[in-house]
Amino acid sequence: MLPHSAPITPASIASEARALEAELARIPAEAAITLLAGRYRGRIALVSAFGAESAVLLHMVARADPALPVLFLDTGKLFAETLTFRDRLVQQLGLRDVRSIPPDPAALAARDPFGGLWAFNPDACCTLRKVEPLAAALAPFAVWMNGRKRAHGSTRSALPLAEATEDGKLKVNPLAAWDGDAVEAWRVAHGLPAHPLAGLGYASIGCRTCTSPVAAGEATRAGRWRGTGKTECGIHIPQPAPNGDTDNRTA
Ligand code: SF4
């Protein structure tokens, strides 16, 4: 386990991730979240986009510890429906520490003064509106959870349950083994609301400028940055910096 005061080294984080992977693989997802919430209390956060599949993980976290911090990147480009859905879930689940994280206003004014960066440099836009704000918001935490799943395919098809990040944190993917059917079954069984856009074909929901519905048979994330070749916003992969240099942040 991560000690409260011992120095965290790349070797200790990698070792902890391997041990956690083996431990979490033996128990159901909700038990894993209860274990994580208790073991890392005060040092763990959930990162959620309040998207199409988000209610399940938020529900499990709320049952384990409703005061566990939930970090929500409010990019300024989200669907109004996502903000409404966030507020509804917060109220229904009794989440007590949901933090909406905006981009830095000075950085926004300097690098995207007219709000159109997404159209000609989406990597730089995601860095400005997601990667950098999340890195700052995660600074107080040693461990973070997120809702990625192997069923999303592409870069996520071999997703572990626990991994060490290059910036020395533990990143946990408690629902890595879940697919869309399992998510929907849990949502229905527990009376959780659906995202208002889910019924309109939006299988994965990010910013309104960069998200489109998917057709039957398309991959879950096919509607994200459609036609651009971009598949991730950068909070889960090394991100090119706005000047084109490689930036190895993993947030
Ligand atoms: S998803 Fe689109 S609008 Fe949102 S931060 Fe990334 S490029 Fe910008």
Side-chain angles (χ1 to χ4, degrees):
M1 285 188 288
L2 282 173
H4 280 282
S5 54
I8 296 173
T9 66
S12 70
I13 289 290
S15 165
E16 176 122 2
R18 283 193 297 274
L20 201 54
E21 175 80 28
E23 190 175 14
L24 299 186
R26 293 193 293 266
I27 56 178
E30 188 171 26
I33 289 164
T34 301
L35 179 154
L36 293 164
R39 178 177 298 172
Y40 300 113
R41 188 177 304 277
R43 296 176 296 154
I44 185 170
L46 168 65
V47 175
S48 177
F50 287 81
E53 296 182 337
S54 63
V56 170
L57 192 49
L58 289 160
H59 177 237
M60 291 179 179
V61 163
R63 297 213 295 193
D65 178 6
L68 191 144
V70 177
L71 309 183
F72 168 70
L73 293 169
D74 188 349
T75 64
K77 299 287 189 185
L78 298 176
F79 290 98
E81 288 89 343
T82 296
L83 303 179
T84 302
F85 185 55
R86 173 200 60 188
D87 295 345
R88 180 177 178 189
L89 274 176
V90 168
Q91 182 174 37
Q92 179 169 332
L93 299 178
L95 292 162
R96 299 207 297 266
D97 190 4
V98 175
R99 306 177 188 183
S100 289
I101 315 293
D104 174 65
L108 210 53
R111 287 151 52 190
D112 191 14
F114 306 110
L117 186 59
W118 65 272
F120 58 91
N121 193 341
D123 284 340
C125 184
C126 282
T127 296
L128 173 64
R129 295 174 183 273
K130 294 185 176 183
V131 176
E132 292 175 354
L134 181 62
L138 279 173
F141 301 101
V143 187
W144 59 290
M145 298 183 281
N146 69 95
R148 289 177 303 158
K149 302 169 187 70
R150 292 172 199 139
H152 293 158
S154 185
T155 57
R156 303 182 176 188
S157 51
L159 195 65
L161 287 165
E163 53 194 313
T165 69
E166 292 181 11
D167 58 353
K169 298 182 189 295
L170 273 177
K171 183 158 67 168
V172 188
N173 315 301
L175 301 185
W178 286 47
D179 62 15
D181 289 343
V183 168
E184 183 63 5
W186 184 281
R187 187 189 69 76
V188 171
H190 295 278
L192 303 174
H195 191 292
L197 297 177
L200 300 176
Y202 290 85
S204 175
I205 302 168
C207 294
R208 65 180 183 277
T209 44
C210 305
T211 305
S212 57
V214 297
E218 279 194 306
T220 302
R221 292 173 58 81
R224 305 289 296 275
W225 305 284
R226 188 182 286 281
T228 68
K230 180 175 168 68
T231 59
E232 296 280 353
C233 66
I235 66 172
H236 298 296
I237 55 173
Q239 174 77 355
N243 63 6
D245 294 340
T246 299
D247 177 349
N248 286 326
R249 268 184 310 249
T250 53

